[in-house]
Amino acid sequence: MLEELKKLNKEQLSAVKHEAGPLLVVAGAGTGKTTVLINRLAYLVMEKKNKTDNILLLTFTEKAAGEMEERADRILPYGYVDLWIHTFHGFCERILRQQALEIGLNPEFKLLDGTAQWVFLKKNLQLFNLKYYTSVANPNKFIRELLNHFSRLKDENISIEDYNKVIKKIDKKKKKDKAEELDEDRLKELATAYELYNKLLLENNYLDFGDLINYTIKLFHQRPNILKIYQDKFKYIMVDEFQDTNLSQYELVKILSQKTNNLVVVGDDDQSIYKFRGASISNIMQFKDDYPKTKEIVLNKNYRSQQEILDCAHQFIKNNDPNRLEVKLNISKRLISFSDSKNSNKSISAFNFAEESDELSFVGAKIKEIYEKESDTNWSDFAVLCRTNDSADKYTKELNRLEIPNHFVSLKGLYFKPIVLDIISYFKLLDNYKESSALFRVLNMEEFKISYNDLMILNSEARRTYSSLFDVLKQADKIKGLDPLAVNKINKLLRLVENHSTFVNDKKPSFIFIKFIYESEVLKNLNHEKDREIFSYINQLYQKIKKFEESGEDVRLADFIEALNFELEAGDTGTLKNDFVDADTVKVMTVHSSKGLEFKYVFLVDLVERRFPSDNRADKIPVIRELIKEKIISDENFHIEEERRLFYVALTRAKLSLFLSGSRNYGGAREKRLSPFLEEAGIKVEVIKDIDFSELEFIKDMKSFMETKSKKEISSEKYKLPNYFSFSQFAAFSKCPLQYKYAHLLKIPASEDKPSLVFGRVIHNVLYNFLLPLIADNNLQKDLFSKKENSKDFLNEKKILEWYKHFWVDEGYGDLETMEKFREKGLKIVIDFYKKLMAEDLPNVYFLEKDFRFKFKDYFIKGKIDRIDKIADDKFEIIDYKTGSGKEKLETEDRRQLLLYKMVSEVAFGIKSTKLSYYYLETGEKLSFEAKDKDMEKVEDWLLNSIKEIEKREFLPNPGSYTCPFCDFKGICEFKK
């Protein structure tokens, strides 16, 4: 132990030997704060003769706690047991398992994680009677946001009593406008939901993670005798990463330590980057206010980075002044480098590229160049840091193309790995033969892969005979034109399905899993060394299945599929173990994931506006100011300050060299401006107009190889384009080319109709038939509508309700409750439509459900226009019905459909449409606009560019949080969000 202490510098040693009273250790990046905590623990045990269970060390992740225990084991002499190193949640769970009965809880409670919470709330959603936070089209829309809201409340230990007190104050306000009344109803609904949620948890013997902290606080408040036991027990309390604590966690620490105040907290306000998890930077900022006798020690001797990097980082983070400890405590946080590493490269380089492809090429080429030049460099010395996971994927692909070993470090995403999607798709196929998208995925596995041409033959046969794709496969031997090799693969698949289907009802999923892996020969073409991550993903899925089977002896495949679907619907992408994170590979990760790590060479990429710093994405259901207990440091600038802290963390991961980059073109309509953080950091940026890698021989060879490979791939899959295009095709392609390929080229049937689509068809049929007599050239109109009052008598409410009853269908809504909500919604829509129609002069309807086909340039476009009214001589209005609620403003992409219809009406029908309108049936609102010449030019360019891009037949994925959750093919796509 004495030898260990000799290695510490003066400040570290002072923190280790701190005797009594509160201590604030402000530990900058790379200054050895973990070393301080472990050596302090060892010092208290060995030098001060304390027992290990008299010391409590709290940290934030199981990984951090495990690493601390390992380091403590190496320092402490053999035989010391019951060392209290815990995460906050782990510590509180241990207390409650022992003491829960003291406050009326069952100590055998079950702890719910995020997915389990979502499933629990979904199953009980009907009990909440939500009105403000409800959606007929998507009943589960607000579940995740409600849970996030409840979590934020628990982060600050806000009780239902606190909530109701605030609402009572609002109630007392006498004069209220409609907006205030609506907001009051919203808050009452949230408070009621919060109360019911917590009540249901207790009734079912469940706790969530926020409950662990708050019930422990409640235990200590209500049972001072129990509190005394733990206050006497823990002579010393230490908190790691104190800047990441939330209000509830800090309150727990204060209660436990108040007897002796032998409290040491270690943290760095400049590295507080977890506000989205509930962390409160105000805790570390006001620690000295809460403990006036606090001794403070600043650790500023950095053992990681070059001085130039540290000075740049310090200069940058000072932009957050005065909301920093450096200003508040009047201390110096400038880090001094004690690194003895030699660097032959520049410490900081920054580049602004013309194209995203240039930036990607630069990163890959520079990594390879340094690796080949520096003899003592390993692949694991490099890291590519991204602001989001979305950016990371393109860098892993670039490194793969250069055959640079790499690893995407992520804690989520197991269910998106291709091999896992393949296995899950096969499971879904066994569960339901008509799961067409799952069958398509299986038919693209290497073991069963058939050509695009064969697949189109099968799809064509399925449409011709009105059969499912699976039924057509069973007739593959008789279908003309199929490749004999394809028939063999199809028959192999059918034999497996037939065999494994016999086990679905009486064997566990793990048994079927093993049978499939072995008998399908999935592993035959895999290399144990090269494909070890794939082996790991297969094993992780198998472990998940085995763990799921622990829930009951009679668990079957259908149960696992149902649970998996719940997880995916809840937004869980599957916990991922990074089994090979320590392997010699380049690490690609988000900046958040890089916290606590270090690399010789760091590439910080995509440094442009709206990416880094990112846009402020506040909680969709925010906690109102009156409820917030946190002492807000800087409300107006809080988001940008946290983004700066994240950028600071990224800068300080680099030991030798830091490469920063951004591009002017990422595929959007406008050029991107560089991140303002580069200027704030005083970093000189080199603007690259044209990048030339021709000097690098491997780049030339790689490009030649990729060109050859690309030509082969394109020639082997010549997708036949549709004979006609449509607006829906163009819209689908704009959202995601891969989705367009699945839906409009491969024509993979969706597993089932979406309720909104079924409902939309009903409403359109009703309105068409009801308004049909109004068409200008209709003989019925001439006979019956000679007088206005006669026409209104004929178009009565009874008639529209009869049409609604005639066209209503009970199928396609998923469940009875959803169907009834849609039925009620539809009834309101048709009645409101009728009343609005009768309240005004009857429209001069010119066309209803008008089909069109017209030639655009060298292409044909077809579609259907809901309605065209004649509003004056030679002037017409195009109307498109929308069954949802309206928008406040129409964006460019919203206008395109009606602009296309205007183009059609002029070319194909010879009429001039001066007014273009969306009729939002749910609210009865009509949003109209007039098309300008430049609007028509833009939509023509959009159509032409879309067709040209489609003709390239590349169909790259474009995942997004607004498209993927509603995509028919999310179950088979590894790129989904």
Side-chain angles (χ1 to χ4, degrees):
M1 179 61 204
L2 292 176
E3 290 301 316
E4 288 285 335
L5 296 180
K6 288 177 183 179
K7 298 176 184 177
L8 304 179
N9 63 47
K10 180 181 177 182
E11 291 78 15
Q12 290 175 330
L13 187 61
S14 180
V16 167
K17 291 187 174 183
H18 179 68
E19 292 293 331
L23 172 65
L24 171 62
V25 181
V26 183
T31 57
K33 61 179 180 293
T34 304
T35 299
V36 167
L37 288 173
I38 294 301
N39 279 279
R40 175 169 170 77
L41 185 150
Y43 172 79
L44 292 173
V45 172
M46 298 173 64
E47 301 294 323
K48 303 296 289 183
K49 310 301 182 186
N50 280 284
K51 296 179 180 179
T52 50
D53 62 355
N54 285 345
I55 304 166
L56 173 63
L57 199 164
L58 294 170
T59 186
F60 280 87
T61 66
E62 293 292 348
K63 180 182 177 183
E67 289 174 352
M68 286 187 173
E69 284 186 348
E70 287 179 10
R71 294 181 67 172
D73 287 340
R74 290 199 298 267
I75 294 176
L76 293 175
Y78 181 77
Y80 282 88
V81 294
D82 201 17
L83 184 59
W84 283 65
I85 299 179
H86 285 290
T87 64
F88 276 90
H89 294 115
F91 169 73
C92 290
E93 182 176 4
R94 182 171 178 177
I95 297 295
L96 290 177
R97 294 292 183 195
Q98 297 173 353
Q99 309 291 349
L101 289 174
E102 295 286 339
I103 51 172
L105 293 178
N106 185 339
E108 301 300 320
F109 60 82
K110 182 180 179 181
L111 189 59
L112 298 185
D113 61 14
T115 299
Q117 284 177 270
W118 191 94
V119 173
F120 176 72
L121 187 53
K122 174 183 167 69
K123 287 182 176 179
N124 292 281
L125 196 59
Q126 72 280 2
L127 301 177
F128 285 76
N129 194 28
L130 297 173
K131 295 179 180 178
Y132 190 96
Y133 290 106
T134 189
S135 169
V136 176
N138 182 9
N140 305 322
K141 178 178 180 181
F142 296 105
I143 291 180
R144 176 55 57 198
E145 298 308 324
L146 284 169
L147 289 172
N148 287 341
H149 182 66
F150 299 158
S151 177
R152 292 291 179 262
L153 295 171
K154 293 184 180 185
D155 285 341
E156 297 206 19
N157 198 15
I158 296 170
S159 66
I160 185 58
E161 290 76 19
D162 296 328
Y163 221 136
N164 287 332
K165 283 179 184 177
V166 170
I167 291 175
K168 284 181 181 178
K169 289 181 181 179
I170 296 173
D171 266 338
K172 290 179 181 179
K173 188 176 177 180
K174 294 182 179 179
K175 291 184 178 181
K176 302 172 189 171
D177 58 28
K178 288 186 177 179
E180 288 175 320
E181 289 178 356
L182 187 62
D183 199 48
E184 183 181 347
D185 291 341
R186 180 182 72 87
L187 290 175
K188 287 180 178 178
E189 181 168 292
L190 286 172
T192 302
Y194 185 45
E195 182 174 22
L196 179 58
Y197 169 72
N198 288 315
K199 180 183 177 184
L200 289 172
L201 286 178
L202 292 179
E203 287 178 353
N204 289 275
N205 197 29
Y206 294 148
L207 295 184
D208 61 27
F209 281 96
D211 288 331
L212 292 176
I213 310 293
N214 294 337
Y215 278 121
T216 304
I217 292 173
K218 181 179 180 180
L219 169 70
F220 289 157
H221 279 316
Q222 293 187 357
R223 297 290 184 263
N225 56 319
I226 302 298
L227 173 60
K228 184 176 185 301
I229 293 173
Y230 292 99
Q231 286 179 335
D232 291 342
K233 180 179 185 62
F234 300 121
K235 291 184 179 180
Y236 301 94
I237 298 174
M238 294 179 277
V239 182
D240 183 28
E241 303 287 7
F242 184 65
Q243 77 277 355
D244 295 332
T245 53
N246 61 39
L247 268 291
S248 292
Q249 290 163 344
Y250 186 27
E251 185 176 349
L252 176 69
V253 169
K254 285 191 283 190
I255 293 170
L256 276 172
S257 64
Q258 64 188 5
K259 182 175 182 180
T260 62
N261 280 342
N262 278 334
L263 173 63
V264 173
V265 299
V266 181
D268 181 7
D269 60 304
D270 292 331
Q271 296 186 72
S272 178
I273 59 173
Y274 292 115
K275 179 64 178 175
F276 69 94
R277 293 182 185 169
S280 171
I281 192 176
S282 65
N283 289 349
I284 193 168
M285 296 297 288
Q286 68 181 56
F287 185 79
K288 199 164 183 180
D289 295 337
D290 295 339
Y291 296 92
K293 295 182 180 180
T294 294
K295 178 181 178 181
E296 66 198 37
I297 293 175
V298 181
L299 304 184
N300 56 10
K301 292 182 176 62
N302 178 281
Y303 298 92
R304 175 186 299 159
S305 306
Q306 302 280 296
Q307 190 63 52
E308 184 183 353
I309 295 173
L310 298 177
D311 286 343
C312 173
H314 185 248
Q315 175 184 333
F316 168 74
I317 201 61
K318 283 176 71 67
N319 285 284
N320 274 358
D321 288 346
N323 298 312
R324 296 176 57 243
L325 282 177
E326 189 167 37
V327 176
K328 181 177 175 63
L329 301 182
N330 192 27
I331 58 177
S332 173
K333 291 188 65 186
R334 179 176 179 267
L335 298 175
I336 308 300
S337 176
F338 273 65
S339 171
D340 57 359
S341 301
K342 294 180 180 180
N343 187 19
S344 60
N345 299 281
K346 286 177 63 177
S347 293
I348 301 176
S349 305
F351 305 94
N352 182 16
F353 296 98
E355 303 289 335
E356 179 184 27
S357 58
D358 293 339
E359 184 179 6
L360 287 165
S361 297
F362 164 77
V363 171
K366 196 66 179 177
I367 289 174
K368 197 149 194 173
E369 177 188 304
I370 295 173
Y371 179 80
E372 293 175 349
K373 179 182 175 183
E374 306 291 343
S375 59
D376 62 340
T377 299
N378 300 311
W379 292 120
S380 56
D381 291 325
F382 298 91
V384 180
L385 304 186
C386 310
R387 176 62 183 85
T388 64
N389 281 323
D390 297 339
S391 300
D393 184 60
K394 61 189 178 185
Y395 285 95
T396 61
K397 289 179 179 177
E398 178 65 16
L399 296 175
N400 287 336
R401 279 196 288 269
L402 296 176
E403 296 188 348
I404 295 174
N406 66 88
H407 181 75
F408 176 35
V409 181
S410 175
L411 299 178
K412 292 289 184 181
L414 177 66
Y415 301 147
F416 292 176
K417 299 302 179 184
I419 186 63
V420 173
L421 268 173
D422 291 342
I423 297 170
I424 290 172
S425 295
Y426 183 76
F427 276 9
K428 288 183 176 180
L429 183 59
L430 291 181
D431 187 51
N432 179 7
Y433 292 161
K434 295 183 179 180
E435 186 80 45
S436 296
S437 61
L439 178 54
F440 168 80
R441 177 90 201 184
V442 174
L443 287 173
N444 273 273
M445 292 178 65
E446 195 60 39
E447 296 71 31
F448 313 111
K449 188 174 180 62
I450 62 176
S451 70
Y452 166 71
N453 184 60
D454 289 326
L455 185 61
M456 294 310 297
I457 291 173
L458 293 168
N459 275 332
S460 177
E461 182 68 13
R463 290 194 302 274
R464 187 183 69 81
T465 59
Y466 299 98
S467 304
S468 70
L469 182 57
F470 186 81
D471 288 335
V472 170
L473 290 186
K474 292 189 288 187
Q475 306 297 321
D477 293 326
K478 303 175 183 177
I479 298 175
K480 294 180 179 180
L482 284 181
D483 187 320
L485 290 177
V487 175
N488 289 338
K489 290 184 176 182
I490 290 170
N491 288 333
K492 175 184 177 181
L493 174 61
L494 291 174
R495 285 194 298 272
L496 284 179
V497 171
E498 182 181 2
N499 180 19
H500 296 164
S501 295
T502 62
F503 304 122
V504 166
N505 294 322
D506 58 2
K507 294 289 185 181
K508 291 188 175 182
S510 59
F511 175 85
I512 301 172
F513 179 96
I514 295 296
K515 291 276 288 182
F516 173 69
I517 295 297
Y518 177 73
E519 295 176 0
S520 67
E521 300 179 296
V522 167
L523 308 181
K524 184 175 69 174
N525 296 317
L526 296 181
N527 181 287
H528 281 277
E529 182 59 32
K530 184 180 177 181
D531 300 312
R532 54 185 178 174
E533 286 195 28
I534 296 178
F535 281 95
S536 174
Y537 299 147
I538 294 173
N539 188 54
Q540 288 183 51
L541 177 62
Y542 182 65
Q543 289 175 332
K544 281 185 173 289
I545 292 172
K546 294 288 286 184
K547 185 174 182 181
F548 174 75
E549 290 174 350
E550 294 174 3
S551 61
E553 281 297 319
D554 58 346
V555 168
R556 295 296 176 256
L557 185 66
D559 303 313
F560 176 72
I561 294 296
E562 181 183 23
L564 182 66
N565 288 335
F566 271 134
E567 283 193 60
L568 292 168
E569 196 176 353
D572 191 340
T573 61
T575 304
L576 194 61
K577 297 177 185 175
N578 288 297
D579 292 337
F580 304 105
V581 72
D582 296 326
D584 187 23
T585 56
V586 176
K587 303 302 182 289
V588 182
M589 62 179 68
T590 64
V591 180
H592 279 101
S593 299
S594 74
K595 177 83 180 294
L597 303 177
E598 57 183 45
F599 305 90
K600 284 184 180 179
Y601 306 100
V602 167
F603 292 79
L604 185 54
V605 298
D606 288 1
L607 296 179
V608 293
E609 58 181 354
R610 303 192 68 182
R611 294 198 177 192
F612 207 163
S614 67
D615 293 336
N616 186 11
R617 296 182 180 179
D619 291 335
K620 293 179 182 177
I621 306 179
V623 179
I624 59 173
R625 175 66 62 86
E626 293 85 348
L627 278 171
I628 295 175
K629 297 178 182 179
E630 178 182 4
K631 186 176 180 181
I632 298 174
I633 305 298
S634 171
D635 188 22
E636 186 176 331
N637 298 315
F638 191 90
H639 171 71
I640 197 67
E641 289 181 2
E642 174 133 340
E643 288 290 299
R644 283 198 190 105
R645 293 192 291 270
L646 191 60
F647 193 77
Y648 174 83
V649 167
L651 297 179
T652 53
R653 298 312 95 193
K655 298 169 71 174
L656 298 182
S657 291
L658 180 64
F659 299 91
L660 305 104
S661 62
S663 305
R664 298 187 288 282
N665 181 14
Y666 285 93
R670 293 188 306 168
E671 283 194 349
K672 291 284 189 181
R673 291 194 294 267
L674 277 176
S675 168
F677 287 173
L678 291 164
E679 184 177 349
E680 289 183 3
I683 296 173
K684 185 178 179 181
V685 180
E686 182 180 349
V687 178
I688 308 295
K689 293 184 179 179
D690 296 300
I691 189 165
D692 182 13
F693 296 110
S694 59
E695 296 300 315
L696 298 171
E697 185 177 353
F698 83 91
I699 289 290
K700 291 192 294 183
D701 293 343
M702 182 271 295
K703 284 187 175 179
S704 175
F705 169 76
M706 290 305 296
E707 286 172 3
T708 304
K709 182 180 179 183
S710 177
K711 289 177 182 176
K712 287 181 179 178
E713 286 176 348
I714 290 175
S715 64
S716 66
E717 291 191 317
K718 290 184 177 179
Y719 299 109
K720 182 183 178 183
L721 298 184
N723 295 324
Y724 288 91
F725 290 105
S726 65
F727 176 79
S728 61
Q729 286 189 45
F730 294 132
F733 186 81
S734 293
K735 289 180 181 178
C736 178
L738 183 60
Q739 182 194 54
Y740 170 83
K741 171 185 164 183
Y742 286 156
H744 298 286
L745 298 187
L746 298 179
K747 300 184 185 301
I748 303 171
S751 298
E752 56 184 22
D753 277 338
K754 294 181 180 178
S756 57
L757 295 180
V758 176
F759 179 71
R761 286 196 292 267
V762 170
I763 298 300
H764 275 72
N765 285 332
V766 171
L767 299 188
Y768 169 77
N769 283 274
F770 181 67
L771 294 177
L772 193 60
L774 289 182
I775 293 181
D777 61 354
N778 192 311
N779 290 328
L780 189 62
Q781 184 196 43
K782 293 177 182 177
D783 295 338
L784 298 176
F785 293 177
S786 56
K787 292 183 179 180
K788 182 179 177 181
E789 56 270 21
N790 287 343
S791 62
K792 288 200 172 184
D793 287 342
F794 184 78
L795 295 175
N796 55 55
E797 185 174 338
K798 180 181 178 183
K799 180 73 69 176
I800 198 170
L801 291 176
E802 285 175 352
W803 284 121
Y804 184 60
K805 183 179 180 181
H806 175 76
F807 285 109
W808 178 261
V809 291
D810 290 339
E811 297 177 350
Y813 298 97
D815 56 66
L816 186 62
E817 183 183 356
T818 302
M819 184 199 72
E820 286 300 328
K821 286 183 178 180
F822 270 104
R823 191 200 296 272
E824 291 175 10
K825 177 183 175 181
L827 193 61
K828 183 178 184 303
I829 282 177
V830 297
I831 292 174
D832 289 349
F833 179 86
Y834 168 76
K835 289 179 179 178
K836 187 175 178 64
L837 189 73
M838 294 298 107
E840 303 169 353
D841 290 338
L842 288 175
N844 190 357
V845 180
Y846 201 76
F847 286 131
L848 284 174
E849 303 282 350
K850 182 64 176 177
D851 290 311
F852 64 82
R853 297 187 182 189
F854 86 111
K855 190 173 183 180
F856 173 73
K857 307 296 182 183
D858 296 325
Y859 309 96
F860 290 93
I861 298 178
K862 69 175 182 178
K864 182 180 290 185
I865 301 175
D866 288 343
R867 178 173 143 194
I868 300 179
D869 290 355
K870 189 172 184 179
I871 53 179
D873 289 341
D874 298 326
K875 291 184 178 180
F876 294 83
E877 177 186 10
I878 295 177
I879 300 172
D880 188 76
Y881 296 131
K882 301 294 182 187
T883 53
S885 54
K887 295 185 176 182
E888 294 182 5
K889 180 182 177 183
L890 293 176
E891 302 296 337
T892 301
E893 56 268 25
D894 298 321
R895 296 168 177 256
R896 286 173 178 161
Q897 183 176 5
L898 289 177
L899 291 171
L900 172 62
Y901 290 170
K902 175 179 169 61
M903 184 192 307
V904 170
S905 65
E906 292 177 356
V907 175
F909 311 143
I911 61 177
K912 186 177 181 180
S913 303
T914 57
K915 188 177 182 182
L916 307 176
S917 304
Y918 286 115
Y919 193 149
Y920 294 98
L921 296 166
E922 188 172 338
T923 57
E925 298 173 331
K926 192 158 68 169
L927 204 55
S928 305
F929 66 96
E930 293 183 7
K932 300 176 182 178
D933 289 342
K934 64 178 183 180
D935 294 328
M936 300 308 297
E937 291 174 5
K938 286 181 179 178
V939 79
E940 285 190 32
D941 289 341
W942 175 70
L943 290 171
L944 198 57
N945 289 334
S946 296
I947 292 172
K948 287 181 178 179
E949 288 299 315
I950 290 171
E951 284 188 322
K952 290 180 181 178
R953 294 169 167 84
E954 292 180 349
F955 309 117
L956 300 176
N958 181 30
S961 55
Y962 295 103
T963 54
C964 293
F966 309 103
C967 178
D968 292 326
F969 312 106
K970 62 186 177 182
I972 63 171
C973 180
E974 63 257 39
F975 306 102
K976 63 179 176 281
K977 276 191 177 180

